[in-house]
Amino acid sequence: MLSIRNLSKTYPNGVQALKSVTLDIPKGMFGLLGPNGAGKSSLMRTLATLQEADSGEAKLDEIDVLRDKDAVRRVLGYLPQDFGVYPKVSAEDLLDHFAALKGYVHRKERAEVVASLLQQVNLWPVRKQKLGGFSGGMRQRFGIAQALLGSPRLVIVDEPTAGLDPEERNRFLNLLAEIGENVVVILSTHIVEDVTDLCPRMAIINKGQVLLAGEPLEAIRSVEGRIWKKVVDKHELPDVQQRLTVLSTRLVGGRPVVHVLADAQPEAGFEPISAGLEDVYFGQLLRHRAAVAA
Ligand code: ADP
């Protein structure tokens, strides 16, 4: 269990990126969902011991994450948002290099670990190829292989699916889902489906604050029966947005489809639909914006 208590961080430019963040993150996959600028990376970098918090606490079981950085690093696997690779090195050679850094000093054992990870992330057939020729999805899978070196207890992946095509994204998420059950895996993302598809627990954050934490299914249940849908004309849209609590607008076949939050049918033409995590997410963001503006 990773317990985060009242974690705060203000950057020197005055931006308060984390405002007393408190979260309990059990073993398994945990989705940290929030728009760009919400503070996800700031939280991930703090937990990964790459930057200091101003105040608060974080404990991974018995390890004091903010103070005992060496202990954290021994059990941490981290895939940063901007994971760079050396383009002229092969996947196998670079992973071997990372393995040596991680403390695998015996060549034979290291080779076995590297081979096993390359197989796990499905890069074994291309292990001799240079990383510069890899697709975004292949690079991210390589990133996971390096994050899994040394059997970590805490795995942090920061916005790993941004920029992947749907097939690559699927592959990557399936791979994440296979990481052991005894590992805390934090998946930070602004893509709602990443969380819906594979996280039994999650939190929504915005402007450095936790808006909601819990189980996606429970969160969805909490808005069930209050989500309404209508296909509208483009010119009607501004009016609809003025009158009703519009959660989202999406073009379907070139026409706007709006989702509205309301206790009862808001207007003629709206039909009830079963809620999704996206409705929860946009509802939380709207409420937070309104609270901040008030
Ligand atoms: P996210 O990962 O959710 O997009 P970040 O943690 O990157 O959010 O950013 C949170 C806020 O902190 C943003 O307003 C961002 O501009 C600001 N920020 C992030 N890193 C720095 C930094 N090193 N110096 C100053 N401001 C920063």
Side-chain angles (χ1 to χ4, degrees):
M1 166 82 87
L2 176 66
S3 304
I4 302 166
R5 291 286 172 277
N6 304 313
L7 204 64
S8 292
K9 171 74 180 178
T10 301
Y11 288 109
N13 64 359
V15 173
Q16 205 181 346
L18 300 174
K19 296 177 190 164
S20 197
V21 168
T22 292
L23 276 176
D24 281 321
I25 304 185
K27 287 176 178 138
M29 194 76 100
F30 188 91
L32 183 71
L33 184 60
N36 287 327
K40 303 183 296 297
S41 289
S42 297
L43 181 59
M44 301 297 94
R45 286 196 303 261
T46 308
L47 297 172
T49 75
L50 298 174
Q51 72 179 43
E52 302 280 340
D54 297 331
S55 57
E57 280 179 34
K59 291 192 98 178
L60 177 66
D61 299 321
E62 77 290 353
I63 300 174
D64 184 332
V65 174
L66 303 185
R67 288 186 189 82
D68 201 353
K69 295 192 177 133
D70 288 338
V72 178
R73 286 169 194 159
R74 276 195 290 275
V75 299
L76 172 73
Y78 180 48
L79 176 56
Q81 199 169 13
D82 44 5
F83 179 65
V85 292
Y86 301 90
K88 294 195 174 145
V89 182
S90 76
E92 187 174 43
D93 287 348
L94 188 59
L95 196 58
D96 183 81
H97 172 70
F98 284 137
L101 292 179
K102 199 82 193 179
Y104 289 96
V105 288
H106 301 293
R107 189 179 295 245
K108 185 153 171 285
E109 184 200 6
R110 193 163 72 232
E112 281 167 9
V113 166
V114 165
S116 148
L117 281 171
L118 287 172
Q119 274 156 1
Q120 193 182 338
V121 302
N122 223 339
L123 291 176
W124 179 250
V126 294
R127 66 192 179 281
K128 304 285 183 201
Q129 290 180 23
K130 293 192 171 50
L131 288 155
F134 274 21
S135 70
M138 290 160 83
R139 268 204 291 275
Q140 287 303 67
R141 281 186 279 136
F142 179 83
I144 276 295
Q146 65 76 32
L148 291 181
L149 277 167
S151 310
R153 276 161 56 193
L154 171 62
V155 172
I156 293 175
V157 287
D158 198 356
E159 303 254 0
T161 62
L164 300 190
D165 68 37
E167 195 188 339
E168 287 180 324
R169 179 179 157 269
N170 250 334
R171 257 191 174 192
F172 182 86
L173 292 178
N174 285 332
L175 178 61
L176 268 192
E178 284 165 15
I179 298 178
E181 284 164 8
N182 282 321
V183 181
V184 175
V185 183
I186 308 178
L187 166 70
S188 124
T189 183
H190 64 269
I191 302 170
V192 179
E193 291 83 19
D194 286 356
V195 176
T196 319
D197 294 354
L198 84 172
C199 299
R201 299 188 68 85
M202 58 131 196
I204 295 174
I205 74 166
N206 191 34
K207 297 191 188 304
Q209 282 178 289
V210 177
L211 306 186
L212 179 151
E215 298 173 16
L217 292 178
E218 203 175 293
I220 291 170
R221 223 174 291 132
S222 73
V223 296
E224 203 64 82
R226 294 193 290 146
I227 309 298
W228 304 81
K229 178 181 107 168
K230 188 183 179 186
V231 184
V232 299
D233 284 326
K234 267 183 202 149
H235 69 264
E236 284 183 77
L237 196 52
D239 262 2
V240 171
Q241 279 166 329
Q242 197 81 76
R243 287 198 306 269
L244 304 171
T245 308
V246 174
L247 295 173
S248 61
T249 306
R250 164 169 299 156
L251 290 180
V252 177
R255 298 188 67 195
V257 176
V258 294
H259 283 197
V260 160
L261 179 70
D263 289 338
Q265 187 187 35
E267 288 174 4
F270 276 88
E271 52 172 312
I273 52 162
S274 75
L277 191 58
E278 205 169 64
D279 299 311
V280 173
Y281 176 57
F282 289 126
Q284 289 288 330
L285 292 182
L286 270 183
R287 208 162 78 171
H288 187 227
R289 273 183 208 127
V292 169

